[in-house]
């Protein structure tokens, strides 16, 4: 594919259908902004549709994005089919790709939620650097698919250590996916969370349920209530 | 009634009147989403109009619902007059039904409010598993109908234990309604709350007043201020 | 004035001018709802324009009010020039009236802000039942007119005790106005606050500044930071 | 320039381009209001475009501003090219000017964020009056340009003491700019923060990233988690 074509292919992101990935990413990110998940250009979102990956760019105000700001990557060749001029691809791209390729995800969301960050700090202090986040018997846990062979009462979310560059998280994210084959999310210490799902609906609602649980868990700690 | 008719009967949910139950449930759930009450498909709402019960479906993003997503049940036969294809009936249905049949409610709201969940955890730790939530002398208590023969200074909300399946809460919810014949709400430990009222206006404003009180109560605990 | 005329006089509340009091009260209350000040029909707002007092009704969802829901009272006769059928006058009316008659206010706002309620509880525990809320050297204090002869570094807001019926607060509110002739606000223990100003702009911004300070003060207590 | 022209020059603020500074300031301030940064007329915003400085007025409800409310100052002469009648220039003007003249900023934002105020109080108690706010190894720190020769792991924001009059902060703000030549922000004790950036996008997203970090830092203190 000639480099010149990278900057055209606008038809890939132009659609009057509100469920087109380029439109959905913009709508989701406006919602995520009001939830405090993508403050100050942080976080990101990607959707897979057939062999096209639609990815929000790096360093933009997420609540102001337009469909024409989207990058489009071919799933198989990992080459960009569309690169908006003057924008940089997201450093989250290899992490989103792991969710699509290793888990068959249809959507992957990365947030800088403060509740997620605080949960990783509390786990580190109380259970050490290699511990998962674990909580039991909260109804909202049912909003996240349960592990095979478990009764769904306990939620476990693995935590990986942060790195200086976002793309350097890929290896440990993939290792966490191997070690926790049923998880739909990986926390990143002092950083945030990656959540994926079979489709946009599931990724978004699982991300909400997890954030609800992290917020509840932080409030429980303030009140001296145990997680398990 | 023939099964085929379950999926038609669209006229039951099509109305240009904003006060039609199918429209009201959508509007209420959009508001409840911003209040954090129905995060991640959690919670639900049902309205009774004459012999029709309008019920939000299970597992949908509550802020995105459309009137055509509503289930309609006949109050007497408990059969569905309308079943949207591809959607599942809410597991809250028997609990909503208890409010309609045992209390003559016109509307019942179920939220996963974190303040309600935290209140149930604080009550359990301090007063034991069989205790009610109780608080005194807060002006907002006047937003909830007072118990017969009481001066309205003290609010009591019974708490039932959570179950693995939502529908299994029905028995204990009905028992709490028997034991507390004046209550308009039942808390569910580690889960949320069911609130009902004579009509939509009352159910919604009583739910707001209760949530205000639970939030205040949690903040009071953080500050070491007693509830009674 | 004949009773029949109470329910007409619709021209008093119909205006295409967004600054007309009947329109302003609706707009303000929608904003106050999102701030958590008028949850569950709580709180209220009144504006004086010449000899007409425009007053939000009792027991309505404040974010849904329409201009036609407004009561209009004559300042001199204290008789209603307009009474919307099926609505009850606000129990706050005599308290709003005190701000108009004793202080020459142009607008008076009553909120159930949780920060105001928590501030009254913290003052009671630490300084006793007759103490004012006092805080020093916070920039936002400049948003509230300073007391004559003071340098504006310290904010004092008197607190009155709550009563079973809202209208029974009138006497102690008026007494607080006498004792603190420079105050633009009176806190009500376990209940909320009344704030007034020379006009709508001032009442609204002073109410915001005070609420900011109460929230900050509560957070300071959680962190062990002294108010003075 | 004749004084009469101060009040005309409306063409300087009339534009259908949403990126015109007079339009941008209004849009930003509406957003800042919902973030709690400009409550009760507090805070302010200024944008430089070529030799024109556009400045929000003093004492107005920031979420209700219109482009015609903007002051326009000539960068070189520091004279007003446009003065809206009945409005007062912002007391922040000399502080905004310092960011434009000493740092080449394209936009400067002043907020009364409670998280910023609480951070200044916590630093004072724990590290003394002359200490900076310092925090380490939080991913969101990458949202703020790093100091030359540093690895970006640690964020330092200088704090200056508040003064009775806002304009009297200018000297110490300029001194902090000298002492911390790489900083894009200066905290003001018990007051708020000034944040600037090369353009509107950067000033706004840096301000968001800083506020996120102050909020996280305050929550960390409540949970007993160390900043460094």
């Amino acid at each position: 594919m000639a480099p010149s074509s990278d900057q055209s292919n606008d038809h890939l992101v132009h659609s009057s259908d509100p469920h087109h990935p380029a439109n959905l990413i913009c709508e989701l990110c406006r919602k995520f902004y009001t939830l405090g998940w993508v403050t100050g250009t942080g976080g990101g979102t990607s959707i897979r549709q057939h062999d096209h990956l639609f990815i929000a760019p790096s360093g933009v105000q997420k609540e102001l994005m337009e469909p024409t700001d989207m990058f489009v990557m071919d799933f198989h060749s990992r080459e960009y089919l569309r690169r908006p001029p003057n924008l940089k691809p997201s450093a989250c791209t290899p992490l989103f790709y792991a969710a699509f390729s290793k888990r068959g995800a249809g959507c992957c969301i990365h947030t800088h939620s403060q509740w997620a960050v605080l949960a990783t700090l509390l786990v580190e202090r109380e259970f050490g650097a290699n511990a998962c986040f674990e909580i039991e018997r909260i109804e909202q846990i049912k909003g996240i698919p349960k592990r095979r062979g478990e009764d769904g009462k306990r939620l476990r979310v693995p935590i990986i250590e942060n790195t200086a560059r976002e793309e350097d998280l890929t290896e440990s994210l993939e290792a966490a996916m191997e070690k926790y084959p049923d998880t739909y999310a990986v926390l990143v210490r002092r950083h945030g969370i990656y959540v994926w799902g079979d489709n946009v609906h599931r990724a978004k609602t699982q991300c909400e349920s997890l954030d609800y649980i992290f917020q509840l868990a932080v409030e429980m700690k303030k009140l001296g209530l145990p997680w398990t």
Side-chain angles (χ1 to χ4, degrees), chain A:
Chain A
M1 180 158 298
S4 67
S5 70
D6 287 349
Q7 292 175 28
S8 57
N9 274 333
D10 283 0
H11 69 280
L12 292 173
V13 297
H14 278 168
S15 169
S16 59
D17 177 4
H19 294 98
H20 184 282
N23 294 331
L24 273 179
I25 290 176
C26 297
E27 189 203 334
L28 286 169
C29 284
R30 278 194 293 274
K31 197 173 276 181
F32 297 165
Y33 179 78
T34 68
L35 295 170
W37 291 357
V38 295
T39 298
T41 85
T45 300
S46 180
I47 295 174
R48 176 177 178 180
Q49 190 184 55
H50 310 305
D51 287 344
H52 291 171
L53 311 183
F54 295 80
I55 312 164
S58 174
V60 301
Q61 296 176 60
K62 294 292 187 290
E63 79 279 18
L64 300 182
M65 285 193 305
E66 300 289 341
T68 49
D69 296 335
M70 295 302 125
F71 284 76
V72 186
M73 178 183 270
D74 180 74
F75 179 71
H76 298 292
S77 68
R78 297 186 71 156
E79 286 185 25
Y80 286 107
L81 304 177
R82 183 174 191 275
R83 260 178 191 275
N86 307 322
L87 289 175
K88 288 200 315 187
S90 171
C92 309
T93 304
L95 294 109
F96 292 148
Y97 195 84
F100 298 129
S101 62
K102 295 197 173 296
R103 292 300 179 93
C107 176
C108 188
I109 298 165
H110 170 47
T111 87
H112 283 194
S113 162
Q114 301 199 354
W115 308 112
V117 172
L118 290 168
T120 68
L121 294 172
L122 288 166
V123 168
E124 185 177 36
R125 183 179 63 185
E126 293 176 41
F127 307 103
N130 295 315
C132 284
F133 171 83
E134 300 196 36
I135 197 166
E136 274 183 343
R137 296 194 303 132
I138 300 295
E139 177 67 14
Q140 195 78 28
I141 293 175
K142 295 182 191 159
I144 300 127
K146 64 184 174 188
R147 292 153 56 99
R148 279 187 285 272
E150 295 217 349
D151 62 2
K153 280 195 183 160
R154 178 179 283 239
L155 172 72
R156 278 191 195 82
V157 185
I159 304 174
I160 61 175
E161 299 305 314
N162 202 20
T163 52
R165 298 190 318 147
E166 188 114 15
E167 47 270 51
D168 294 341
L169 289 171
T170 314
E171 196 175 337
S172 55
L173 183 90
E174 292 180 348
M177 286 173 165
E178 299 269 326
K179 188 169 171 194
Y180 298 87
D182 297 305
T183 193
Y184 281 88
V186 174
L187 285 159
V188 186
R189 187 107 53 208
R190 317 181 80 88
H191 180 153
I193 193 167
Y194 281 84
V195 182
W196 57 89
D198 297 345
N199 51 45
V200 172
H201 168 85
R202 293 198 179 192
K204 183 262 198 183
T205 59
Q206 289 166 200
C207 198
E208 282 184 354
S209 289
L210 284 163
D211 205 56
Y212 169 103
I213 290 166
F214 297 137
Q215 179 174 5
L216 189 69
V218 171
E219 295 295 309
M220 286 168 78
K221 278 290 170 224
K222 287 184 193 167
L223 293 157
L225 295 162
W227 291 350
T228 54

